Amino acid sequence: MSERHIVILGNGITGITAARTLRKRSNHRITVVSGETEHHFSRTALMYIFMGDMRYEDTKPYPDDFWAKNRIDLKRGWVHSIDSQQKQLLFKNGESLKYDTLILATGSKPNRFGWPGEDLEGVQGLYSYQDLEMMERNAKGAKRAVLVGGGLIGVEVAEMLLTRNIQVTFLVREKTFWGSVLPIGESAMINREIQAHGVDLRLETGLKEILSDGEGRVRAIQTLSGEEIACEMVFLTAGVSPQIEMVKASGIECDRGILVDRFLKTSVPDIWAGGDCAQHREAPEGRRPVEQVWYTGKIQGERLAANICGDLAEYDPGIWFNSAKFFDIEYQTYGWVMPKLKEGEKSFYWEHPEGNKSVRINFEEKLGAVLGVNVFGIRHRHQVWEQWILEKKTIHEVLTHLGAANFDPEFYSQYEIEIISAFNLLYPDQPVELKTKKGLFSKFFAKILK
Amino acid sequence: MSDITANLAYESHSIAHHGPRLRISEKIALTAMGIGSMLLALSLIAVNGSTSETLKNLWFNISWALAIGGGGYFALSKHLKDRPGVRNQGKTTDSLTARGAWGWMLGIVFTGFYIIIYWFPQYLEGLTRLHDGLSQFLQGKPADEWFVYGTVYTILTTLMGAKAIAKYRHNRYHIVRTSVIIFAQLIFAYLFPAICVKFNQPEVYLTYFWPLAYDKLFPSTVMHLFHSGGLGYFIAGWFICGTFLATPVLTYYFGKRWYCSWVCGCGGLANTMGDSWRQLSDKSLKSWKIERWSIYSVLALIFSLTVLLWCEPYLPASMKEIVYQIRRFYLFGIGAVFSGVIGVGFYPLMGTRMWCRFGCPMAAFLGLLQRFNSRFRITTNGAQCISCGNCSKYCEMGIDVRHYAQRGQNIIRASCVGCGICATVCPRGVLSLENGPTNNRYNHEEGLSLLGKMKSR
């Protein structure tokens, strides 16, 4: 295959994974374009920069000389438009860059729902490096912030602001935090955790408008119920949406995101897209068409690079998994655990009496096959759960070997016995007995690894 | 590129943090610690051989009580007023922990202390005399500067160990490990040797083995022990077994950590007093390269020296002179300058494990065993890594843990001391220290997204 110039727009996890995969598989000339930062950094670590756990340079997953060593050119600049006829990028400063193949990995931007006052100074989201810089400026002298929208970014922003002694009021429209994703048990646990850290959590509270101080800065917000809350900062943390204005204007077919087929091709030849900005015309089973998750960006970057190199295959994200941390409570999930049970599904939930650890396993009512797990405050093994879900192990089999999934540090209390006792109380017909305790390469795990 | 307005503020500017304000009780504690420390310092000029016992003991008791009480209260309060959890906020912005003015000042104080104790111990006379009472009680003889050193070292390990336990109290691995570190230092590296002296036995440090305690297997030491009868045989046997039996066996089962972050006093000080500076270790590939050259050179040097010393009776006179010179160089260059002045002195500037990483021959030996013949590894949990970098940042050994974690690879590095902090600070539950079968211990085939090698794909 002749060597081509492959230009990647966006140096987030998708773009960079594509670049690395292309380099491993080919000798194509590779250029990564970004206006945001010179080098790839871990977006998920923005909060640690603000809190002083890490410096910006610590969040770069690869050393600066990595790119030259791997012959990946970096180009800093904001793109104004894509000229797909001439196959070139036109930059805002008038420069241009020719490509043979273009990968769009432009990421997201914080959602704005047209709230009155959302463009005032002091109102912002948190996604990009520039957002973080803005947050740094806005935080100067701020005493109180209001966060609008309960999700993962909201919790992170709350944690960040508290380290600067800024009071946080957190408006969540739902009855309970992240209620569209978490079942009530887990969600209630996180409500408590958020409050325990001193956040003023307002459930079932929406934003009506953001009020100006008369000089273009935020002075307060007003909730739907009419209450006015004075604040110097407002964070719009109700999710993100694909950053596609420029792409759309350049004539590439878009809906909410850049439309791609199962091979991650866009409507224009030689232009591919992946990651946060992409919208799958046919989403993989059970998945949303736009899925803004770190690892799916990674897989898509890898997949589309392989496809460009001729190793054509459909995008397949595999069994769903994810993780997060809500203040001090870690969360991992494998498979599907929906907030509301579907027909024919059952759910087993165990919560530690202290209310900061829990395990929920959802399973099919008839056959007992496990569908997914939520673990809070306990770490579980990815490979083990993936295997269990793929092989449709029954809830009884899984509980019998539950120790094989335990990934907690040494000397930690193990709760498998308590969990199983709780299960046996609910289902006394076929009591489960724990056979596999925690420990690497307990028989079960050794089998999987071999 | 004039259109780029973004300037990377964080690369050039430090950010002002506003941590919780000091409580009144903390201010009082700090004052007590300050007065205690000043009294200790004052003894350097105000106490001498003719100071009365009563005054010395009073001085000793008051100054240490204030320093320990105040310092201890402040250190514990700092962490206990927070909810349990990972708390590294401000580490990269605080002057003390981010090589600011406080860090530099403390680095100079530490380094200066080592220079004085090695080369100008006479200036410590006043402080040494202050410790006569305690020394008489424990060792049955007046103090020397090394008794003072041991006392300060043990107090710092214990006090800051308590602080480390408070900081990591949500994690039982650190509670257990830190408790063992304190115990090993207090009992085996302080009280036991002192009591040996009191009962006219050889002053033995049971937890330091060759080649870290380089003279433990020198012919002079071994012969001396053999000649001092029953206990001497036991002790000589202990050290020989320690190096040649316990080290390979324990390292096979648990990795190098059984020693470096559970028993050893150097690691002990690093993980207690030094914990606030662990993030300063250099993570670059270049420093890894230097590390391998330097640490294995020291190992080769001490190995050769020990062999030469055993062969000494058969060596020509000219060689004996060379062996003597090597020995002199090792004692001065490695034993004093490297392990003390740089090893601890540079804590606030270059991180806590300079000696363990670049110099310690025991770490080199353990590292080789860990790398090639051990069940230990740090496991990466599937594809959960988000490349945030906390693991690499807080690795005291300068290992770029993230490099492996984001590729889904297990982490098996000769230098890893198994402190467990990478697994603790990971916000996604990706890392775990584990001992298991040695087959498939390295899982280094890289599927970029990690899913390449998982069953679903």
Side-chain angles (χ1 to χ4, degrees):
Chain A
M1 191 164 38
S2 63
E3 281 169 32
R4 285 174 283 157
H5 183 203
I6 300 177
V7 173
I8 301 167
L9 185 49
N11 69 353
I13 185 62
T14 308
I16 289 305
T17 308
R20 286 195 58 213
T21 311
L22 284 167
R23 181 44 73 237
K24 274 175 180 265
R25 288 169 167 260
S26 75
N27 268 318
H28 295 310
R29 184 180 154 210
I30 302 167
T31 305
V32 179
V33 176
S34 169
E36 185 181 16
T37 52
E38 167 128 32
H39 297 108
H40 168 58
F41 73 99
S42 178
R43 194 171 299 293
T44 51
L46 281 177
M47 66 181 295
Y48 298 107
I49 304 176
F50 187 85
M51 299 196 299
D53 292 44
M54 284 192 278
R55 300 162 302 170
Y56 165 69
E57 49 266 44
D58 301 320
T59 67
K60 295 181 191 173
Y62 306 97
D64 290 351
D65 60 2
F66 176 90
W67 310 106
K69 268 192 207 163
N70 288 283
R71 292 177 293 122
I72 295 170
D73 297 338
L74 305 177
K75 158 95 185 142
R76 185 96 191 270
W78 297 105
V79 172
H80 170 266
S81 62
I82 302 163
D83 177 357
S84 54
Q85 295 299 318
Q86 300 293 320
K87 290 192 144 185
Q88 60 178 351
L89 297 182
L90 301 171
F91 288 84
K92 284 189 180 166
N93 65 353
E95 288 182 274
S96 64
L97 181 69
K98 291 258 185 203
Y99 64 83
D100 297 312
T101 303
L102 178 64
I103 298 174
L104 299 172
T106 53
S108 299
K109 58 177 182 1
N111 277 337
R112 283 167 185 253
F113 293 108
W115 285 297
E118 68 180 16
D119 295 323
L120 289 170
E121 253 183 87
V123 182
Q124 68 165 112
L126 179 63
Y127 179 84
S128 66
Y129 189 83
Q130 284 70 33
D131 290 338
L132 185 68
E133 291 181 313
M134 187 193 291
M135 182 168 175
E136 194 62 58
R137 290 193 298 272
N138 286 341
K140 287 216 167 69
K143 295 209 164 53
R144 186 156 181 179
V146 174
L147 318 187
V148 183
L152 298 177
I153 300 176
V155 176
E156 289 182 0
V157 170
E159 188 175 349
M160 292 160 80
L161 292 170
L162 289 177
T163 64
R164 305 278 181 102
N165 292 338
I166 297 171
Q167 284 187 338
V168 176
T169 297
F170 197 174
L171 309 188
V172 175
R173 233 173 28 170
E174 290 96 358
K175 282 196 179 106
T176 180
F177 174 78
W178 220 26
S180 58
V181 175
L182 298 179
I184 187 66
E186 290 92 320
S187 177
M189 177 187 294
I190 302 307
N191 289 342
R192 294 193 300 269
E193 176 76 2
I194 292 170
Q195 285 166 333
H197 281 265
V199 173
D200 170 25
L201 178 64
R202 310 277 185 95
L203 299 171
E204 292 186 90
T205 308
L207 174 70
K208 188 174 174 203
E209 66 171 312
I210 304 166
L211 305 170
S212 167
D213 67 351
E215 287 166 28
R217 273 203 74 85
V218 56
R219 165 179 71 80
I221 63 107
Q222 196 177 39
T223 66
L224 283 176
S225 59
E227 186 187 353
E228 200 173 299
I229 302 169
C231 58
E232 297 82 29
M233 298 174 93
V234 174
F235 280 86
L236 307 177
T237 55
V240 293
S241 48
Q243 185 157 313
I244 52 168
E245 287 75 14
M246 181 276 293
V247 178
K248 213 173 184 172
S250 302
I252 296 157
E253 202 183 333
C254 293
D255 177 25
R256 281 193 297 135
I258 305 165
L259 287 166
V260 293
D261 64 13
R262 297 207 87 161
F263 300 94
L264 305 168
K265 279 186 198 146
T266 67
S267 61
V268 176
D270 293 321
I271 300 184
W272 307 65
D276 278 18
C277 67
Q279 178 179 346
H280 299 268
R281 291 179 194 267
E282 305 164 66
E285 198 193 335
R287 300 274 181 154
R288 284 169 295 144
V290 181
E291 198 170 67
Q292 297 110 334
V293 183
W294 180 263
Y295 77 87
T296 54
K298 212 167 167 178
I299 300 173
Q300 288 177 34
E302 189 185 18
R303 186 67 265 158
L304 60 83
N307 287 351
I308 286 169
C309 294
D311 181 8
L312 210 65
E314 291 185 355
Y315 162 61
D316 171 16
I319 298 279
W320 167 258
F321 68 93
N322 205 1
S323 61
K325 193 171 181 184
F326 304 95
F327 285 96
D328 294 318
I329 299 184
E330 286 177 22
Y331 154 63
Q332 293 179 331
T333 188
Y334 304 105
W336 292 119
V337 177
M338 298 295 178
K340 284 215 173 69
L341 288 178
K342 288 187 196 153
E343 179 122 349
E345 281 182 17
K346 291 204 97 169
S347 184
F348 165 64
Y349 182 66
W350 169 87
E351 188 175 304
H352 189 275
E354 282 170 21
N356 54 4
K357 294 178 186 68
S358 72
V359 175
R360 177 189 297 278
I361 304 174
N362 282 6
F363 55 99
E364 285 178 355
E365 191 167 14
K366 272 189 190 151
L367 301 169
V370 292
L371 301 164
V373 65
N374 273 352
V375 264
F376 283 75
I378 299 176
R379 294 173 173 182
H380 270 195
R381 281 181 204 279
H382 187 178
Q383 291 100 323
V384 170
W385 267 108
E386 184 176 73
Q387 191 74 359
W388 280 340
I389 294 164
L390 274 174
E391 292 182 356
K392 300 189 189 310
K393 294 284 181 203
T394 66
I395 178 87
H396 282 83
E397 286 172 294
V398 163
L399 287 175
T400 307
H401 300 290
L402 194 59
N406 191 323
F407 197 66
D408 266 346
E410 292 150 300
F411 303 112
Y412 267 42
S413 300
Q414 292 163 36
Y415 301 103
E416 282 81 22
I417 304 259
E418 282 96 320
I419 293 167
I420 286 170
S421 314
F423 181 81
N424 287 341
L425 265 179
L426 282 172
Y427 302 93
D429 311 348
Q430 296 169 273
V432 177
E433 192 189 333
L434 183 67
K435 288 212 179 111
T436 306
K437 289 193 181 150
K438 186 198 167 209
L440 178 63
F441 309 113
S442 55
K443 274 183 200 155
F444 184 91
F445 190 50
K447 207 171 71 191
I448 288 180
L449 268 193
K450 94 178 172 292
Chain B
M1 282 186 276
S2 56
D3 56 318
I4 296 163
T5 50
N7 64 336
L8 303 182
Y10 291 103
E11 283 181 335
S12 48
H13 304 156
S14 69
I15 314 148
H17 274 262
H18 314 282
R21 287 211 182 80
L22 292 182
R23 296 170 175 175
I24 295 279
S25 61
E26 287 171 327
K27 288 178 183 163
I28 295 170
L30 274 178
T31 310
M33 185 177 83
I35 295 173
S37 310
M38 268 162 55
L39 283 172
L40 286 171
L42 195 62
S43 72
L44 289 168
I45 46 170
V47 174
N48 55 45
S50 57
T51 313
S52 78
E53 286 294 299
T54 329
L55 179 61
K56 278 200 293 186
N57 287 341
L58 191 68
W59 195 313
F60 174 90
N61 287 335
I62 291 178
S63 52
W64 270 123
L66 287 173
I68 293 176
Y73 181 91
F74 178 71
L76 290 178
S77 167
K78 176 174 157 50
H79 294 294
L80 291 178
K81 69 184 173 190
D82 265 342
R83 294 166 61 85
V86 178
R87 297 285 178 269
N88 285 323
Q89 287 89 51
K91 276 281 162 61
T92 59
T93 50
D94 286 352
S95 163
L96 187 66
T97 55
R99 295 192 191 107
W102 279 106
W104 273 94
M105 217 166 72
L106 218 55
I108 289 164
V109 169
F110 289 168
T111 310
F113 177 74
Y114 275 91
I115 290 173
I116 292 170
I117 198 165
Y118 277 115
W119 294 289
F120 310 101
Q122 64 273 22
Y123 296 116
L124 294 176
E125 181 63 13
L127 190 63
T128 309
R129 294 287 66 79
L130 199 66
H131 290 71
D132 276 338
L134 182 66
S135 180
Q136 280 293 352
F137 175 70
L138 289 174
Q139 316 190 86
K141 64 170 195 183
D144 61 11
E145 71 272 14
W146 292 109
F147 178 78
V148 176
Y149 177 64
T151 306
V152 174
Y153 199 107
T154 306
I155 289 173
L156 285 175
T157 303
T158 309
L159 212 59
M160 299 303 273
K163 173 185 183 279
I165 290 174
K167 177 173 180 190
Y168 299 112
R169 67 188 182 282
H170 63 293
N171 186 308
R172 211 178 277 171
Y173 181 73
H174 296 303
I175 297 176
V176 176
R177 188 175 67 82
T178 312
S179 306
V180 173
I181 284 176
I182 297 171
F183 182 82
Q185 174 62 34
L186 186 64
I187 306 298
F188 290 107
Y190 186 65
L191 294 178
F192 183 77
I195 290 164
C196 287
V197 172
K198 188 165 195 169
F199 291 99
N200 285 320
Q201 295 296 329
E203 181 181 352
V204 277
Y205 293 80
L206 288 174
T207 48
Y208 288 96
F209 304 104
W210 185 92
L212 169 54
Y214 44 84
D215 58 349
K216 286 280 165 66
L217 295 186
F218 281 1
S220 49
T221 317
V222 177
M223 291 310 166
H224 173 74
L225 284 169
F226 277 168
H227 290 140
S228 55
L231 190 63
Y233 277 112
F234 169 76
I235 294 166
W238 173 269
F239 287 128
I240 293 168
C241 289
T243 299
F244 297 110
L245 188 68
T247 297
V249 169
L250 290 172
T251 307
Y252 174 74
Y253 283 105
F254 305 111
K256 162 183 192 174
R257 55 186 172 147
W258 76 268
Y259 191 72
C260 296
S261 62
W262 282 75
V263 171
C264 178
C266 308
L269 194 70
N271 283 172
T272 53
M273 188 183 83
D275 186 67
S276 302
W277 296 298
R278 55 165 49 249
Q279 69 282 358
L280 298 176
S281 61
D282 191 322
K283 312 300 190 297
S284 67
L285 279 172
K286 196 172 142 200
S287 65
W288 185 17
K289 214 174 214 171
I290 297 170
E291 165 194 320
R292 282 175 293 178
W293 272 103
S294 93
I295 196 166
Y296 296 118
S297 302
V298 175
L299 178 64
L301 188 62
I302 191 61
F303 181 80
S304 317
L305 176 61
T306 310
V307 171
L308 284 172
L309 283 170
W310 279 95
C311 300
E312 207 174 6
Y314 316 104
L315 295 176
S318 58
M319 274 293 284
K320 286 186 186 177
E321 174 57 22
I322 295 173
V323 174
Y324 174 75
Q325 289 300 337
I326 297 177
R327 188 186 157 133
R328 241 180 62 131
F329 166 76
Y330 193 89
L331 263 57
F332 172 82
I334 310 295
V337 175
F338 208 153
S339 74
V341 178
I342 298 176
V344 180
F346 289 10
Y347 268 15
L349 302 176
M350 304 185 80
T352 42
R353 290 268 193 174
M354 284 292 282
W355 163 246
C356 313
R357 186 180 173 194
F358 294 97
C360 176
M362 181 81 182
F365 178 40
L366 287 157
L368 288 171
L369 290 166
Q370 169 161 288
R371 174 78 171 67
F372 296 108
N373 189 35
S374 172
R375 290 162 59 84
F376 174 74
R377 86 291 315 267
I378 300 174
T379 313
T380 296
N381 192 8
Q384 289 280 25
C385 177
I386 52 165
S387 300
C388 70
N390 274 297
C391 50
S392 296
K393 180 70 178 172
Y394 288 93
C395 175
E396 55 186 341
M397 297 305 286
I399 300 171
D400 187 1
V401 183
R402 168 173 55 189
H403 172 93
Y404 305 91
Q406 68 192 356
R407 289 168 172 81
Q409 299 170 348
N410 287 347
I411 297 114
I412 301 171
R413 279 276 290 269
S415 62
C416 173
V417 292
C419 68
I421 292 291
C422 56
T424 304
V425 298
C426 174
R428 294 291 187 273
V430 174
L431 302 166
S432 185
L433 280 59
E434 300 188 290
N435 311 307
T438 49
N439 61 326
N440 210 355
R441 182 171 167 245
Y442 289 85
N443 54 344
H444 272 190
E445 74 278 15
E446 183 188 5
L448 257 185
S449 70
L450 316 173
L451 296 179
K453 65 182 172 223
M454 293 180 70
K455 293 282 157 96
S456 67
R457 307 259 299 167

